[in-house]
PDB file of all heavy atoms in Angstrom:
ATOM      1  N   GLN H 222     -22.782  78.002  45.764  1.00 81.00           N
ATOM      2  CA  GLN H 222     -21.787  76.988  45.386  1.00 81.00           C
ATOM      3  C   GLN H 222     -22.012  76.550  43.908  1.00 81.00           C
ATOM      4  O   GLN H 222     -21.031  76.429  43.196  1.00 81.00           O
ATOM      5  CB  GLN H 222     -21.846  75.836  46.297  1.00 81.00           C
ATOM      6  CG  GLN H 222     -21.342  76.097  47.728  1.00 81.00           C
ATOM      7  CD  GLN H 222     -21.557  74.953  48.689  1.00 81.00           C
ATOM      8  OE1 GLN H 222     -22.100  73.926  48.320  1.00 81.00           O
ATOM      9  NE2 GLN H 222     -21.134  75.145  49.893  1.00 81.00           N
ATOM     10  N   LYS H 223     -23.223  76.441  43.528  1.00 86.00           N
ATOM     11  CA  LYS H 223     -23.536  76.039  42.152  1.00 86.00           C
ATOM     12  C   LYS H 223     -23.302  77.216  41.201  1.00 86.00           C
ATOM     13  O   LYS H 223     -22.837  77.036  40.045  1.00 86.00           O
ATOM     14  CB  LYS H 223     -24.992  75.551  42.050  1.00 86.00           C
ATOM     15  CG  LYS H 223     -25.320  74.868  40.744  1.00 86.00           C
ATOM     16  CD  LYS H 223     -26.656  74.157  40.801  1.00 86.00           C
ATOM     17  CE  LYS H 223     -26.915  73.372  39.535  1.00 86.00           C
ATOM     18  NZ  LYS H 223     -28.175  72.646  39.559  1.00 86.00           N
ATOM     19  N   ASN H 224     -23.655  78.433  41.673  1.00 89.00           N
ATOM     20  CA  ASN H 224     -23.509  79.634  40.862  1.00 89.00           C
ATOM     21  C   ASN H 224     -22.028  79.861  40.467  1.00 89.00           C
ATOM     22  O   ASN H 224     -21.748  80.289  39.350  1.00 89.00           O
ATOM     23  CB  ASN H 224     -24.018  80.866  41.623  1.00 89.00           C
ATOM     24  CG  ASN H 224     -23.938  82.123  40.786  1.00 89.00           C
ATOM     25  OD1 ASN H 224     -24.905  82.451  40.108  1.00 89.00           O
ATOM     26  ND2 ASN H 224     -22.831  82.834  40.830  1.00 89.00           N
ATOM     27  N   PHE H 225     -21.111  79.546  41.355  1.00 91.00           N
ATOM     28  CA  PHE H 225     -19.658  79.836  41.116  1.00 91.00           C
ATOM     29  C   PHE H 225     -18.895  78.658  40.568  1.00 91.00           C
ATOM     30  O   PHE H 225     -17.645  78.643  40.652  1.00 91.00           O
ATOM     31  CB  PHE H 225     -19.054  80.427  42.404  1.00 91.00           C
ATOM     32  CG  PHE H 225     -19.443  81.848  42.610  1.00 91.00           C
ATOM     33  CD1 PHE H 225     -20.547  82.176  43.368  1.00 91.00           C
ATOM     34  CD2 PHE H 225     -18.687  82.875  41.997  1.00 91.00           C
ATOM     35  CE1 PHE H 225     -20.906  83.515  43.529  1.00 91.00           C
ATOM     36  CE2 PHE H 225     -19.068  84.216  42.160  1.00 91.00           C
ATOM     37  CZ  PHE H 225     -20.147  84.520  42.918  1.00 91.00           C
ATOM     38  N   LEU H 226     -19.560  77.682  40.002  1.00 93.00           N
ATOM     39  CA  LEU H 226     -18.870  76.657  39.188  1.00 93.00           C
ATOM     40  C   LEU H 226     -18.398  77.325  37.892  1.00 93.00           C
ATOM     41  O   LEU H 226     -19.128  78.140  37.291  1.00 93.00           O
ATOM     42  CB  LEU H 226     -19.790  75.514  38.888  1.00 93.00           C
ATOM     43  CG  LEU H 226     -20.211  74.627  40.066  1.00 93.00           C
ATOM     44  CD1 LEU H 226     -21.237  73.592  39.624  1.00 93.00           C
ATOM     45  CD2 LEU H 226     -18.992  73.945  40.672  1.00 93.00           C
ATOM     46  N   PRO H 227     -17.219  77.005  37.398  1.00 95.00           N
ATOM     47  CA  PRO H 227     -16.730  77.611  36.137  1.00 95.00           C
ATOM     48  C   PRO H 227     -17.711  77.532  34.996  1.00 95.00           C
ATOM     49  O   PRO H 227     -17.956  78.527  34.280  1.00 95.00           O
ATOM     50  CB  PRO H 227     -15.432  76.864  35.855  1.00 95.00           C
ATOM     51  CG  PRO H 227     -14.989  76.373  37.202  1.00 95.00           C
ATOM     52  CD  PRO H 227     -16.219  76.053  37.959  1.00 95.00           C
ATOM     53  N   GLU H 228     -18.291  76.371  34.781  1.00 96.00           N
ATOM     54  CA  GLU H 228     -19.193  76.138  33.623  1.00 96.00           C
ATOM     55  C   GLU H 228     -20.456  77.013  33.760  1.00 96.00           C
ATOM     56  O   GLU H 228     -20.991  77.514  32.794  1.00 96.00           O
ATOM     57  CB  GLU H 228     -19.562  74.709  33.445  1.00 96.00           C
ATOM     58  CG  GLU H 228     -20.209  74.061  34.653  1.00 96.00           C
ATOM     59  CD  GLU H 228     -19.271  73.375  35.596  1.00 96.00           C
ATOM     60  OE1 GLU H 228     -18.112  73.784  35.677  1.00 96.00           O
ATOM     61  OE2 GLU H 228     -19.695  72.375  36.242  1.00 96.00           O
ATOM     62  N   THR H 229     -20.881  77.210  35.011  1.00 95.00           N
ATOM     63  CA  THR H 229     -22.109  78.053  35.254  1.00 95.00           C
ATOM     64  C   THR H 229     -21.804  79.485  34.885  1.00 95.00           C
ATOM     65  O   THR H 229     -22.571  80.116  34.185  1.00 95.00           O
ATOM     66  CB  THR H 229     -22.566  77.937  36.706  1.00 95.00           C
ATOM     67  OG1 THR H 229     -22.875  76.602  37.020  1.00 95.00           O
ATOM     68  CG2 THR H 229     -23.755  78.833  36.964  1.00 95.00           C
ATOM     69  N   LEU H 230     -20.745  80.012  35.411  1.00 96.00           N
ATOM     70  CA  LEU H 230     -20.396  81.453  35.192  1.00 96.00           C
ATOM     71  C   LEU H 230     -20.150  81.722  33.688  1.00 96.00           C
ATOM     72  O   LEU H 230     -20.572  82.760  33.171  1.00 96.00           O
ATOM     73  CB  LEU H 230     -19.189  81.834  36.042  1.00 96.00           C
ATOM     74  CG  LEU H 230     -19.420  81.947  37.517  1.00 96.00           C
ATOM     75  CD1 LEU H 230     -18.108  82.330  38.234  1.00 96.00           C
ATOM     76  CD2 LEU H 230     -20.506  82.928  37.851  1.00 96.00           C
ATOM     77  N   ILE H 231     -19.474  80.836  33.035  1.00 97.00           N
ATOM     78  CA  ILE H 231     -19.170  81.001  31.628  1.00 97.00           C
ATOM     79  C   ILE H 231     -20.487  81.093  30.815  1.00 97.00           C
ATOM     80  O   ILE H 231     -20.687  81.966  29.985  1.00 97.00           O
ATOM     81  CB  ILE H 231     -18.303  79.887  31.074  1.00 97.00           C
ATOM     82  CG1 ILE H 231     -16.870  80.000  31.663  1.00 97.00           C
ATOM     83  CG2 ILE H 231     -18.210  79.924  29.560  1.00 97.00           C
ATOM     84  CD1 ILE H 231     -15.968  78.841  31.397  1.00 97.00           C
ATOM     85  N   LYS H 232     -21.395  80.157  31.092  1.00 97.00           N
ATOM     86  CA  LYS H 232     -22.672  80.130  30.367  1.00 97.00           C
ATOM     87  C   LYS H 232     -23.571  81.329  30.723  1.00 97.00           C
ATOM     88  O   LYS H 232     -24.207  81.907  29.878  1.00 97.00           O
ATOM     89  CB  LYS H 232     -23.383  78.796  30.644  1.00 97.00           C
ATOM     90  CG  LYS H 232     -22.736  77.617  30.024  1.00 97.00           C
ATOM     91  CD  LYS H 232     -23.465  76.317  30.335  1.00 97.00           C
ATOM     92  CE  LYS H 232     -22.822  75.159  29.664  1.00 97.00           C
ATOM     93  NZ  LYS H 232     -23.536  73.822  30.018  1.00 97.00           N
ATOM     94  N   TYR H 233     -23.593  81.669  32.002  1.00 97.00           N
ATOM     95  CA  TYR H 233     -24.374  82.817  32.480  1.00 97.00           C
ATOM     96  C   TYR H 233     -23.891  84.128  31.772  1.00 97.00           C
ATOM     97  O   TYR H 233     -24.704  84.945  31.342  1.00 97.00           O
ATOM     98  CB  TYR H 233     -24.191  83.002  33.984  1.00 97.00           C
ATOM     99  CG  TYR H 233     -25.182  82.247  34.811  1.00 97.00           C
ATOM    100  CD1 TYR H 233     -26.038  81.300  34.297  1.00 97.00           C
ATOM    101  CD2 TYR H 233     -25.196  82.410  36.212  1.00 97.00           C
ATOM    102  CE1 TYR H 233     -26.934  80.608  35.086  1.00 97.00           C
ATOM    103  CE2 TYR H 233     -26.102  81.746  37.011  1.00 97.00           C
ATOM    104  CZ  TYR H 233     -26.938  80.821  36.479  1.00 97.00           C
ATOM    105  OH  TYR H 233     -27.838  80.112  37.257  1.00 97.00           O
ATOM    106  N   ARG H 234     -22.567  84.258  31.712  1.00 97.00           N
ATOM    107  CA  ARG H 234     -22.014  85.475  31.091  1.00 97.00           C
ATOM    108  C   ARG H 234     -22.354  85.567  29.601  1.00 97.00           C
ATOM    109  O   ARG H 234     -22.775  86.588  29.099  1.00 97.00           O
ATOM    110  CB  ARG H 234     -20.489  85.479  31.282  1.00 97.00           C
ATOM    111  CG  ARG H 234     -19.822  86.762  30.814  1.00 97.00           C
ATOM    112  CD  ARG H 234     -18.286  86.596  30.869  1.00 97.00           C
ATOM    113  NE  ARG H 234     -17.600  87.810  30.566  1.00 97.00           N
ATOM    114  CZ  ARG H 234     -16.376  87.864  30.028  1.00 97.00           C
ATOM    115  NH1 ARG H 234     -15.764  86.725  29.750  1.00 97.00           N
ATOM    116  NH2 ARG H 234     -15.756  88.991  29.778  1.00 97.00           N
ATOM    117  N   GLU H 235     -22.129  84.451  28.895  1.00 98.00           N
ATOM    118  CA  GLU H 235     -22.476  84.435  27.481  1.00 98.00           C
ATOM    119  C   GLU H 235     -23.929  84.718  27.191  1.00 98.00           C
ATOM    120  O   GLU H 235     -24.296  85.524  26.301  1.00 98.00           O
ATOM    121  CB  GLU H 235     -22.064  83.091  26.871  1.00 98.00           C
ATOM    122  CG  GLU H 235     -20.574  82.829  26.801  1.00 98.00           C
ATOM    123  CD  GLU H 235     -20.245  81.447  26.344  1.00 98.00           C
ATOM    124  OE1 GLU H 235     -21.150  80.622  26.255  1.00 98.00           O
ATOM    125  OE2 GLU H 235     -19.051  81.160  26.075  1.00 98.00           O
TER     126      GLU H 235
END
Side-chain angles (χ1 to χ4, degrees):
Q222 289 174 358
K223 192 169 185 178
N224 184 90
F225 283 91
L226 292 173
E228 58 268 28
T229 299
L230 290 179
I231 290 170
K232 290 179 180 179
Y233 273 6
R234 186 188 186 207
E235 290 175 350

